[in-house]
């Protein structure tokens, strides 16, 4: 048969590829026999492959350090994990094995820091970068952290008034960062990001509120292009502007010694994904180096806060196709056993695409489908992939003994937080069962049930029944 699903993949992509392979007709993800775990735990099923987290950190670190060495750059590289991309303890435990620093976004994040400290997963020397526009409870928790000895905590001023609180409440000399607001992409609905202090006001802010106060030491200039690190004129333009701001500030602020480029390192969201990580990272280091050399300024330490990049590729979300509905001549629906809006909210909210593959039936013919979720919402669907505006999956016979299983891959970042994992869900469709898979000492796979499928009672409790 020449129009099987296998043929389609062979004709469209290089396959197998890193993390994806077939074994006896079934898809494997990072060597995980998905079929086995589906049989054991059922669907819908969320899987986190923990070793991927460490390997991602190692890859980025190596690329930065290699670039630093080859260019003769004199600053150091620091990998921070941005907790908001997945706050779960199993993720934090894993990233901390790689000795990363941490970035927080809200008051409750600081409670996580204390929990990690009590569990001896971190000590008070860790660097903690505090981002976001901060309400008083967040400010207070940052102050408490610094007053209690986390001396490498670096609150990043998102606006010019934030510093007053620290200056008043912190009882020791402390470090500070300044977030510089980026200009948004031309297609966006506003010009300047609401996050950070406009470029034109950074110098005045420093001179008026910080310079001359011996307690405050500005250590870091922070910026973040929300649309990600892309080989586009827009990204390079914003990076160059931020480096220029760094150089100008450094001339009047001797304590400044680090530039933080935020998150945004992409992950694979299609089997056709192409991204030259080595080139992009080298280019970033080079641009900082060239600008500093031109201004006779020491090369700053470089900090990143990669969220999606750290955890995204560790996750997979697997569904069974419960049935098919031919709604007209051309529209065939595959109805899955959970909701896309609820379990992969970015697919609905920002039209994020994930790698989508069937787990079985690769030798069947393929067909164009719309995937439908279980809620009543007409937005609860998925029908286009990144490389084409359509979704193709194997045909299946409803009498066949084994249902069609499909997997969305690289779903490990943000989806749980945005969907409120374990909370109230649209149409009360529960959060799926979740398993963690790790490598044992002999390289064997070891799995652990992280959470059962959400129960009716847990929702009814929240709802007050
Ligand atoms: C300040 C800051 N740093 C890091 C990140 C992480 O971004 P990403 O997940 O794209 O790496 C974000 C995401 O919103 C952010 O706002």
């Amino acid at each position: 048969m020449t129009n099987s699903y296998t043929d389609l993949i062979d004709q469209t992509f290089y396959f197998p590829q890193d993390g994806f392979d077939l074994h006896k007709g079934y898809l494997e993800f990072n060597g995980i026999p998905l079929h086995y775990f589906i049989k054991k735990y059922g669907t819908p099923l969320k899987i986190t492959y923990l070793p991927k987290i460490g390997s991602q950190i190692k890859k980025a670190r190596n690329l930065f350090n290699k670039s630093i060495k080859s260019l003769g750059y004199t600053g150091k590289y620091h990998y921070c994990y941005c907790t908001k991309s997945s706050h779960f303890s199993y993720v934090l435990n894993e990233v901390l094995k790689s000795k990363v620093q941490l970035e927080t976004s809200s008051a409750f994040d600081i409670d996580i820091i204390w929990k990690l400290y009590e569990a001896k997963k971190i000590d008070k020397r860790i660097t903690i970068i505090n981002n976001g526009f901060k309400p008083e409870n967040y400010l207070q928790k940052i102050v408490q952290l610094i007053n209690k000895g986390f001396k490498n905590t670096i609150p990043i001023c998102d606006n010019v008034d934030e510093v007053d609180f620290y200056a008043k409440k912190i009882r020791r000399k402390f470090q500070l960062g300044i977030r510089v607001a980026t200009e948004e992409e031309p297609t966006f609905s506003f010009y300047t990001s609401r996050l950070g202090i406009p470029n034109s006001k950074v110098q005045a802010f420093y001179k008026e509120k910080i310079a001359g106060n011996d307690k405050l030491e500005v250590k870091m200039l922070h910026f973040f292009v929300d649309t990600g690190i892309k080989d586009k004129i827009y990204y390079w333009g914003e990076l160059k502007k931020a480096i220029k701001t760094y150089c100008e500030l450094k001339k009047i602020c001797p304590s400044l010694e680090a530039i933080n480029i935020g998150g945004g390192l992409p992950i694979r969201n299609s089997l056709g994904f192409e991204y030259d990580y080595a080139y992009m990272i080298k280019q970033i280091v080079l641009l900082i180096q060239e600008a500093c050399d031109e201004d006779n300024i020491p090369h700053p330490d470089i900090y990143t806060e990669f969220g999606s990049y750290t955890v995204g590729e560790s996750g997979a979300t697997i569904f069974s196709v419960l049935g098919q509905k031919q709604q007209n001549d051309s529209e065939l629906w595959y109805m899955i056993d959970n909701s896309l809006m609820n379990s992969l909210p970015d697919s609905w909210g920002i039209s994020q695409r994930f790698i989508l593959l069937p787990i079985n039936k690769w030798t069947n013919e393929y067909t164009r489908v719309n995937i439908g979720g279980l809620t009543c919402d007409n937005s609860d669907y998925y029908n286009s992939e990144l490389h084409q505006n359509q979704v193709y999956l194997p045909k299946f016979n409803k009498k066949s003994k084994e249902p069609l299983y499909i997997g969305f891959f690289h779903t490990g970042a943000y989806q749980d937080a945005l969907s409120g994992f374990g909370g109230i869900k649209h149409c009360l469709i529960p959060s799926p069962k979740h398993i963690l898979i790790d490598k044992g000492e002999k390289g064997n796979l070891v799995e652990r049930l992280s959470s059962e499928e959400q129960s009716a009672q847990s929702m009814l409790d929240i709802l007050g029944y």
Side-chain angles (χ1 to χ4, degrees):
M1 201 188 289
T2 54
N3 53 353
S4 70
Y5 187 81
T6 311
D7 295 320
L8 175 72
I9 291 293
D10 281 346
Q11 285 156 19
T12 322
F13 306 111
Y14 292 109
F15 193 89
Q17 60 172 258
D18 182 24
F20 297 95
D21 202 353
L22 275 191
H23 183 66
K24 294 190 177 158
Y26 290 99
L27 184 71
E28 289 193 345
F29 172 54
N30 291 302
I32 301 168
L34 297 168
H35 180 59
Y36 167 81
F37 290 105
I38 291 169
K39 286 275 174 290
K40 183 164 176 185
Y41 292 100
T43 64
L45 181 64
K46 253 166 51 68
I47 292 178
T48 302
Y49 179 61
L50 293 169
K52 189 71 190 174
I53 295 173
S55 67
Q56 289 288 91
I57 297 171
K58 193 168 164 196
K59 180 167 118 185
R61 234 186 216 148
N62 282 347
L63 289 174
F64 271 98
N65 287 333
K66 252 169 100 174
S67 303
I68 282 175
K69 201 164 170 207
S70 69
L71 293 169
Y73 187 91
T74 52
K76 289 198 176 76
Y77 172 64
H78 304 270
Y79 193 108
C80 302
Y81 172 62
C82 139
T83 59
K84 75 189 121 208
S85 47
S86 177
H87 293 102
F88 283 93
S89 59
Y90 56 81
V91 171
L92 267 297
N93 291 343
E94 203 60 32
V95 296
L96 289 169
K97 283 185 199 162
S98 298
K99 307 239 175 303
V100 299
Q101 317 302 319
L102 296 174
E103 186 242 5
T104 68
S105 323
S106 71
F108 293 180
D109 255 341
I110 308 292
D111 295 283
I112 292 180
I113 300 291
W114 282 111
K115 285 280 177 203
L116 294 170
Y117 176 70
E118 283 157 22
K120 299 197 168 25
K121 304 269 177 197
I122 57 173
D123 65 33
K124 288 187 175 175
R125 288 169 301 177
I126 189 167
T127 297
I128 297 169
I129 293 167
N130 315 113
N131 262 308
F133 189 95
K134 304 173 186 69
E136 189 156 332
N137 64 343
Y138 189 16
L139 291 169
Q140 265 164 356
K141 287 184 184 195
I142 293 169
V143 165
Q144 196 186 41
L145 210 55
I146 298 173
N147 281 341
K148 291 199 167 171
F150 278 87
K151 60 180 186 335
N152 293 320
T153 298
I154 310 176
I156 306 292
C157 290
D158 185 73
N159 63 80
V160 296
D161 298 324
E162 190 180 322
V163 68
D164 301 337
F165 193 91
Y166 305 129
K168 207 158 113 198
K169 305 270 179 172
I170 296 175
R171 296 190 299 269
R172 51 186 295 163
K173 191 167 176 164
F174 65 95
Q175 300 172 0
L176 207 60
I178 299 175
R179 177 151 178 182
V180 50
T182 53
E183 299 302 316
E184 299 288 358
E185 276 199 86
T187 48
F188 220 57
S189 52
F190 37 82
Y191 297 112
T192 307
S193 167
R194 72 178 192 287
L195 304 154
I197 296 170
N199 221 321
S200 57
K201 295 186 179 160
V202 169
Q203 289 246 344
F205 168 55
Y206 174 75
K207 285 181 197 158
E208 285 163 25
K209 292 217 167 188
I210 301 174
N213 185 338
D214 289 343
K215 228 166 93 175
L216 319 183
E217 197 170 63
V218 173
K219 177 177 162 109
M220 175 179 286
L221 190 85
H222 185 294
F223 102 114
F224 174 41
V225 174
D226 212 349
T227 46
I229 299 178
K230 295 182 183 156
D231 191 10
K232 276 182 154 185
I233 292 173
Y234 163 70
Y235 179 77
W236 298 123
E238 287 306 306
L239 179 62
K240 280 180 189 164
K241 270 194 263 169
I243 302 169
K244 191 165 183 316
T245 308
Y246 177 90
C247 293
E248 292 305 313
L249 189 60
K250 175 74 184 171
K251 289 174 194 164
I252 56 167
C253 171
S255 61
L256 188 65
E257 57 185 38
I259 188 160
N260 185 333
I261 63 167
L265 199 60
I267 58 170
R268 282 182 295 155
N269 47 10
S270 148
L271 289 185
F273 176 83
E274 280 180 22
Y275 187 84
D276 192 341
Y277 288 94
Y279 165 78
M280 293 299 289
I281 288 173
K282 191 162 185 182
Q283 209 53 25
I284 290 170
V285 178
L286 182 65
L287 281 183
I288 301 174
Q289 181 180 37
E290 283 176 348
C292 292
D293 287 349
E294 209 165 286
D295 274 13
N296 257 326
I297 280 171
H299 303 156
D301 282 358
I302 300 172
Y303 285 70
T304 59
E305 300 161 350
F306 299 142
S308 298
Y309 172 82
T310 314
V311 286
E313 295 199 5
S314 67
T317 312
I318 292 166
F319 304 108
S320 295
V321 178
L322 294 176
Q324 42 193 324
K325 296 177 83 177
Q326 187 79 49
Q327 294 300 75
N328 58 38
D329 287 350
S330 65
E331 288 174 353
L332 173 66
W333 285 86
Y334 275 9
M335 302 300 296
I336 58 167
D337 55 354
N338 202 274
S339 152
L340 294 152
M341 278 176 101
N342 285 357
S343 54
L344 300 173
D346 272 342
S347 70
W348 161 64
I350 54 169
S351 299
Q352 166 112 16
R353 302 296 90 178
F354 298 97
I355 294 175
L356 164 64
L357 291 167
I359 316 299
N360 55 347
K361 303 192 190 290
W362 279 55
T363 50
N364 289 11
E365 274 183 61
Y366 64 85
T367 181
R368 183 177 170 186
V369 298
N370 298 304
I371 300 172
L374 285 184
T375 70
C376 60
D377 209 299
N378 75 349
S379 304
D380 197 351
Y381 71 92
Y382 194 93
N383 71 352
S384 72
E385 295 200 66
L386 204 66
H387 59 284
Q388 60 191 357
N389 263 337
Q390 350 208 338
V391 163
Y392 290 98
L393 285 172
K395 289 182 179 176
F396 67 94
N397 184 332
K398 63 180 173 198
K399 291 195 188 119
S400 124
K401 263 204 261 154
E402 188 176 64
L404 174 67
Y405 302 116
I406 61 171
F408 288 84
F409 297 92
H410 298 179
T411 56
Y414 298 108
Q415 304 316 298
D416 292 332
L418 292 174
S419 70
F421 189 75
I424 292 302
K425 295 303 185 82
H426 192 17
C427 290
L428 305 188
I429 308 297
S431 295
K433 193 176 276 187
H434 178 209
I435 58 169
L436 302 174
I437 300 183
D438 205 347
K439 273 212 171 123
E441 278 170 13
K442 292 181 187 140
N444 52 320
L445 295 176
V446 185
E447 101 261 20
R448 175 158 65 86
L449 183 66
S450 174
S451 48
E452 286 286 359
E453 184 172 71
Q454 190 179 8
S455 67
Q457 192 55 50
S458 79
M459 283 207 206
L460 298 187
D461 285 346
I462 302 174
L463 292 169
Y465 291 99

